[in-house]
Amino acid sequence: MPSRKKTSMFASAFCTCVSSFVVICVVLATPQWVSSEVRFSRTGSNVTISLNYGLFSGTCEQFVDAGLQVSKTTFQVTDALSSTRNRSLNVATIVVLVLALLSSLLSSGFTCTNTVSNPYQTFLGPVGVYTWNSVCGVLILIAMILFPVTVEGNSLSEELAHGCSTSLQIHLGSKHSYGYSYWIMLLILFLNIASLIIVYFYDHARYSKKKEQERPIENAPKDVILF
């Protein structure tokens, strides 16, 4: 059975890993990734398309000239994309987050195992927790970089706007604002770092204690050594 100290520290790490798993689920499920206002001109008027969308679905509203709202519709992001490049980048972001979800799940399993037992295999101990937390953090960073690149570098909002309205001609400009579904990925990074720190402190304390036990004679009084 693990010691009380190990149980408490790995239980804390388990809570942070499970929290990370839950937050990734929220990130995937909610559509509040980005809000965009895309302005176009067409014959006789200017049109502003207001978009709110995530990785799977979103809504768009069309405003003509002085703010007259013409329509509000919902759409599926993948179905609305005609560009193979943008569709591939959107799918890649989803795949990266799913892999991060699996990494977080594995990390939760490893910390839970160490909470209730002392696994003999090295990789099932702190090394495995380090590995899967690090993998999850790297994948989250990739997702946080990949999505803005798709939105701003590859004009994702502009392409989605064309699917919401017809007869759009000249693109006049765009404004993007990232929502909570995007920014809470920073919380996932924080939770992964917290898990690593907790396990590191336990591992470091265990290593120091082991070194002290391996060299007891160095700390013994000289008269005891002579005797």
Side-chain angles (χ1 to χ4, degrees):
M1 292 296 293
S3 65
R4 183 176 297 178
K5 181 178 180 180
K6 180 181 180 181
T7 299
S8 61
M9 296 197 76
F10 273 92
S12 300
F14 172 72
C15 291
T16 58
C17 292
V18 170
S19 299
S20 174
F21 178 83
V22 171
V23 176
I24 296 173
C25 291
V26 172
V27 167
L28 284 166
T30 54
Q32 303 301 323
W33 276 66
V34 65
S35 298
S36 299
E37 290 188 359
V38 189
R39 297 177 62 244
F40 293 92
S41 68
R42 66 183 182 189
T43 305
S45 64
N46 291 331
V47 179
T48 300
I49 307 295
S50 179
L51 298 160
N52 291 281
Y53 60 94
L55 297 174
F56 298 100
S57 64
T59 61
C60 64
E61 297 177 85
Q62 181 178 339
F63 300 90
V64 180
D65 288 335
L68 176 64
Q69 182 177 346
V70 176
S71 61
K72 181 178 181 178
T73 58
T74 60
F75 60 88
Q76 298 299 313
V77 173
T78 305
D79 295 338
L81 293 174
S82 57
S83 167
T84 304
R85 182 180 179 82
N86 279 340
R87 186 177 297 175
S88 298
L89 287 172
N90 187 68
V91 172
T93 305
I94 295 171
V95 170
V96 166
L97 285 173
V98 170
L99 291 175
L101 188 70
L102 294 175
S103 299
S104 183
L105 182 62
L106 285 170
S107 183
S108 299
F110 277 41
T111 51
C112 182
T113 300
N114 283 272
T115 301
V116 299
S117 65
N118 289 313
Y120 292 103
Q121 292 87 351
T122 303
F123 190 72
L124 293 179
V127 174
V129 180
Y130 293 148
T131 300
W132 293 117
N133 271 277
S134 300
V135 169
C136 181
V138 169
L139 291 170
I140 292 297
L141 280 174
I142 291 173
M144 292 192 73
I145 295 170
L146 195 59
F147 186 73
V149 167
T150 309
V151 172
E152 302 187 34
N154 288 307
S155 305
L156 177 62
S157 294
E158 288 81 348
E159 183 175 348
L160 292 172
H162 279 285
C164 293
S165 181
T166 58
S167 304
L168 300 177
Q169 296 177 350
I170 301 174
H171 176 225
L172 302 177
S174 302
K175 291 191 299 182
H176 309 290
S177 176
Y178 295 94
Y180 71 84
S181 298
Y182 177 80
W183 291 116
I184 60 174
M185 285 193 285
L186 292 174
L187 176 60
I188 301 170
L189 292 176
F190 173 78
L191 290 169
N192 281 305
I193 292 171
S195 299
L196 291 173
I197 291 173
I198 292 170
V199 177
Y200 171 78
F201 275 120
Y202 165 76
D203 202 27
H204 181 70
R206 186 188 64 168
Y207 178 78
S208 299
K209 185 177 180 180
K210 184 178 179 181
K211 284 297 182 182
E212 290 177 1
Q213 292 174 346
E214 287 176 352
R215 295 180 294 181
I217 197 168
E218 294 180 5
N219 299 322
K222 290 183 178 179
D223 54 345
V224 175
I225 296 173
L226 291 173
F227 177 77

